[in-house]
Amino acid sequence: FHENGFLIIPELFSAEEVAVLRSAMDRVFNEENPANIREKKSGVVRTAMGLHLRDETFARLVRHPRLVEPAQQIAGSDLYVQQVKINVKSAFDGELWQWHQDFSTHHEDDGSPEPLALNLHIFLDDVTEFNGPLYFFQGSHKFGSVATLHDTVSTSYPLWVVEEDTVRHIAKTCPLVSATGKAGTALIFGDCLVHGSPPNISPSNRSIFSLI
């Protein structure tokens, strides 16, 4: 984790457990709630926020030892929940996520003073090269917090994005990798890792649970 900026744990949760999480996802996605952010073009839910406050399944999941213990090994024992959400790239219509660092949003929008947060993902679908996986610049967290600009136009979710010249500079020394795996796979990455994801034009959805 400290060398690459991310860690993949294959199939940390079983198919049966993923099915329970997907059922809970369907419940919250069917709500008419301002915490459900929809795609500009299709109107389908792109991101659902505050899940641990909306459904008991997610309230239990954020306390699950299989997530908490790896996080404590990396960041120490004194942790708290900042945000719980699911990001979806729907089949055929899933929009991109621009190049960004999570810390930019945590700092500018949430007031976090330091890049200490961990993002703990669980794949709720099989994530392949074709359905919009996350792309990482491996080791880019070593650049620390970089300059960003606020993009309110490109997608339905305003995002603090890394400027293109900075991305080109980082790409000179940091290889580009994709995070793929079967449903139930866990992915952990830090606040300063530069990442993004392409549109999903495949016929398969890509849903990912995120605990920060």
Tab-separated table of all heavy atoms in Angstrom, residues 2 7 9 17 26 34 39 43 47 58 70 77 80 94 98 101 106 109 116 140 166 170 175 188:
chain	number	residue	atom	x	y	z
A	2	HIS	N	1.858	1.309	0.850
A	2	HIS	CA	2.661	2.530	0.969
A	2	HIS	C	3.516	2.763	-0.278
A	2	HIS	O	3.825	3.915	-0.604
A	2	HIS	CB	3.535	2.466	2.220
A	2	HIS	CG	2.732	2.517	3.492
A	2	HIS	ND1	1.993	3.621	3.850
A	2	HIS	CD2	2.534	1.604	4.471
A	2	HIS	CE1	1.368	3.391	5.002
A	2	HIS	NE2	1.685	2.174	5.389
A	7	LEU	N	-4.217	-1.000	-2.639
A	7	LEU	CA	-4.125	-2.421	-2.282
A	7	LEU	C	-5.399	-3.111	-2.754
A	7	LEU	O	-6.505	-2.619	-2.514
A	7	LEU	CB	-3.981	-2.568	-0.760
A	7	LEU	CG	-3.887	-3.977	-0.179
A	7	LEU	CD1	-2.585	-4.634	-0.614
A	7	LEU	CD2	-3.969	-3.929	1.341
A	9	ILE	N	-7.582	-6.656	-2.546
A	9	ILE	CA	-7.774	-7.912	-1.810
A	9	ILE	C	-8.845	-8.705	-2.552
A	9	ILE	O	-10.035	-8.409	-2.435
A	9	ILE	CB	-8.192	-7.665	-0.356
A	9	ILE	CG1	-7.239	-6.671	0.315
A	9	ILE	CG2	-8.229	-8.985	0.416
A	9	ILE	CD1	-7.662	-6.284	1.727
A	17	GLU	N	-22.774	-12.751	0.246
A	17	GLU	CA	-22.707	-11.458	0.934
A	17	GLU	C	-22.917	-10.309	-0.050
A	17	GLU	O	-23.596	-9.327	0.269
A	17	GLU	CB	-21.363	-11.327	1.649
A	17	GLU	CG	-21.234	-12.255	2.855
A	17	GLU	CD	-19.830	-12.328	3.396
A	17	GLU	OE1	-18.873	-12.316	2.605
A	17	GLU	OE2	-19.676	-12.402	4.632
A	26	ASP	N	-30.369	-1.745	-4.106
A	26	ASP	CA	-31.621	-1.547	-4.848
A	26	ASP	C	-32.621	-0.753	-4.020
A	26	ASP	O	-33.348	0.108	-4.551
A	26	ASP	CB	-32.218	-2.900	-5.247
A	26	ASP	CG	-31.394	-3.614	-6.317
A	26	ASP	OD1	-30.597	-2.940	-7.001
A	26	ASP	OD2	-31.559	-4.845	-6.452
A	34	PRO	N	-32.550	13.342	-2.358
A	34	PRO	CA	-31.523	14.215	-2.938
A	34	PRO	C	-30.108	13.654	-2.799
A	34	PRO	O	-29.192	14.131	-3.481
A	34	PRO	CB	-31.688	15.526	-2.172
A	34	PRO	CG	-32.417	15.174	-0.923
A	34	PRO	CD	-33.304	14.018	-1.276
A	39	GLU	N	-27.206	10.549	-13.410
A	39	GLU	CA	-26.470	10.870	-14.622
A	39	GLU	C	-27.171	11.998	-15.388
A	39	GLU	O	-28.410	12.083	-15.384
A	39	GLU	CB	-26.375	9.641	-15.537
A	39	GLU	CG	-25.620	8.456	-14.935
A	39	GLU	CD	-24.118	8.555	-15.125
A	39	GLU	OE1	-23.626	9.678	-15.364
A	39	GLU	OE2	-23.444	7.516	-15.029
A	43	GLY	N	-30.372	9.792	-16.502
A	43	GLY	CA	-31.196	9.950	-15.312
A	43	GLY	C	-31.069	8.828	-14.305
A	43	GLY	O	-31.687	8.878	-13.241
A	47	THR	N	-24.453	8.133	-8.162
A	47	THR	CA	-23.883	8.033	-6.826
A	47	THR	C	-25.010	8.142	-5.806
A	47	THR	O	-25.883	9.008	-5.929
A	47	THR	CB	-22.864	9.157	-6.570
A	47	THR	OG1	-21.801	9.062	-7.518
A	47	THR	CG2	-22.281	9.060	-5.169
A	58	PHE	N	-25.898	-1.326	5.417
A	58	PHE	CA	-24.673	-0.541	5.253
A	58	PHE	C	-24.152	-0.028	6.596
A	58	PHE	O	-22.940	0.135	6.767
A	58	PHE	CB	-24.918	0.609	4.279
A	58	PHE	CG	-25.231	0.150	2.888
A	58	PHE	CD1	-26.460	0.439	2.311
A	58	PHE	CD2	-24.327	-0.613	2.172
A	58	PHE	CE1	-26.770	0.004	1.035
A	58	PHE	CE2	-24.622	-1.053	0.885
A	58	PHE	CZ	-25.844	-0.747	0.318
A	70	PRO	N	-8.078	-4.160	8.074
A	70	PRO	CA	-7.050	-3.678	7.137
A	70	PRO	C	-6.837	-2.162	7.226
A	70	PRO	O	-5.701	-1.680	7.127
A	70	PRO	CB	-7.589	-4.085	5.768
A	70	PRO	CG	-8.508	-5.222	6.035
A	70	PRO	CD	-9.125	-4.910	7.366
A	77	SER	N	-5.564	2.768	14.769
A	77	SER	CA	-6.818	2.281	15.342
A	77	SER	C	-7.887	3.350	15.512
A	77	SER	O	-9.079	3.049	15.598
A	77	SER	CB	-6.542	1.633	16.707
A	77	SER	OG	-5.956	2.579	17.603
A	80	TYR	N	-12.727	6.948	11.955
A	80	TYR	CA	-14.154	7.268	11.947
A	80	TYR	C	-14.660	7.269	10.513
A	80	TYR	O	-13.878	7.339	9.556
A	80	TYR	CB	-14.424	8.624	12.612
A	80	TYR	CG	-13.837	9.816	11.895
A	80	TYR	CD1	-14.566	10.508	10.918
A	80	TYR	CD2	-12.548	10.271	12.190
A	80	TYR	CE1	-14.030	11.606	10.261
A	80	TYR	CE2	-12.009	11.369	11.545
A	80	TYR	CZ	-12.748	12.027	10.580
A	80	TYR	OH	-12.213	13.105	9.929
A	94	GLY	N	-22.802	4.881	-18.545
A	94	GLY	CA	-22.043	5.358	-17.390
A	94	GLY	C	-20.999	6.386	-17.767
A	94	GLY	O	-20.142	6.145	-18.622
A	98	GLN	N	-13.334	12.239	-13.946
A	98	GLN	CA	-12.125	12.915	-14.368
A	98	GLN	C	-10.957	12.554	-13.437
A	98	GLN	O	-11.137	12.033	-12.348
A	98	GLN	CB	-12.349	14.431	-14.369
A	98	GLN	CG	-13.587	14.891	-15.125
A	98	GLN	CD	-14.816	15.019	-14.229
A	98	GLN	OE1	-15.213	14.068	-13.565
A	98	GLN	NE2	-15.403	16.207	-14.204
A	101	GLN	N	-7.773	13.671	-7.164
A	101	GLN	CA	-7.377	13.130	-5.867
A	101	GLN	C	-8.555	13.329	-4.918
A	101	GLN	O	-9.148	14.406	-4.889
A	101	GLN	CB	-6.162	13.868	-5.299
A	101	GLN	CG	-4.878	13.705	-6.084
A	101	GLN	CD	-3.760	14.553	-5.486
A	101	GLN	OE1	-3.943	15.744	-5.234
A	101	GLN	NE2	-2.602	13.946	-5.265
A	106	HIS	N	-12.209	16.387	-0.218
A	106	HIS	CA	-12.276	16.335	1.246
A	106	HIS	C	-11.802	17.650	1.865
A	106	HIS	O	-12.325	18.088	2.891
A	106	HIS	CB	-11.425	15.178	1.771
A	106	HIS	CG	-11.899	13.840	1.312
A	106	HIS	ND1	-11.103	12.727	1.289
A	106	HIS	CD2	-13.118	13.440	0.846
A	106	HIS	CE1	-11.790	11.701	0.839
A	106	HIS	NE2	-13.012	12.111	0.566
A	109	ASP	N	-14.359	20.827	0.050
A	109	ASP	CA	-15.795	20.731	0.340
A	109	ASP	C	-16.101	20.340	1.780
A	109	ASP	O	-17.124	20.747	2.331
A	109	ASP	CB	-16.455	19.716	-0.595
A	109	ASP	CG	-16.416	20.161	-2.049
A	109	ASP	OD1	-16.065	21.323	-2.293
A	109	ASP	OD2	-16.733	19.340	-2.930
A	116	LEU	N	-5.496	12.303	5.142
A	116	LEU	CA	-5.355	11.101	5.966
A	116	LEU	C	-6.395	10.023	5.650
A	116	LEU	O	-6.280	8.901	6.144
A	116	LEU	CB	-5.469	11.478	7.451
A	116	LEU	CG	-4.460	12.507	7.967
A	116	LEU	CD1	-4.736	12.806	9.439
A	116	LEU	CD2	-3.029	12.012	7.778
A	140	SER	N	1.463	7.641	-7.456
A	140	SER	CA	1.247	9.085	-7.589
A	140	SER	C	0.960	9.769	-6.258
A	140	SER	O	1.059	11.000	-6.158
A	140	SER	CB	0.112	9.365	-8.576
A	140	SER	OG	-1.094	8.728	-8.179
A	166	THR	N	-0.450	18.703	-15.049
A	166	THR	CA	0.007	17.964	-13.876
A	166	THR	C	-0.102	16.465	-14.114
A	166	THR	O	0.799	15.697	-13.740
A	166	THR	CB	-0.826	18.360	-12.642
A	166	THR	OG1	-0.732	19.770	-12.439
A	166	THR	CG2	-0.334	17.635	-11.401
A	170	ILE	N	2.941	13.720	-13.918
A	170	ILE	CA	2.885	12.519	-13.086
A	170	ILE	C	3.081	11.273	-13.935
A	170	ILE	O	3.748	10.304	-13.531
A	170	ILE	CB	1.544	12.473	-12.328
A	170	ILE	CG1	1.517	13.568	-11.249
A	170	ILE	CG2	1.301	11.110	-11.705
A	170	ILE	CD1	0.163	13.765	-10.595
A	175	PRO	N	3.404	4.596	-13.633
A	175	PRO	CA	2.679	3.812	-14.628
A	175	PRO	C	1.180	3.819	-14.368
A	175	PRO	O	0.729	3.935	-13.224
A	175	PRO	CB	3.259	2.402	-14.463
A	175	PRO	CG	3.782	2.369	-13.061
A	175	PRO	CD	4.252	3.758	-12.767
A	188	ILE	N	-8.414	-0.750	-1.577
A	188	ILE	CA	-8.124	0.296	-0.605
A	188	ILE	C	-7.099	1.247	-1.229
A	188	ILE	O	-6.084	0.807	-1.761
A	188	ILE	CB	-7.554	-0.285	0.705
A	188	ILE	CG1	-8.518	-1.324	1.301
A	188	ILE	CG2	-7.287	0.825	1.714
A	188	ILE	CD1	-7.960	-2.043	2.517
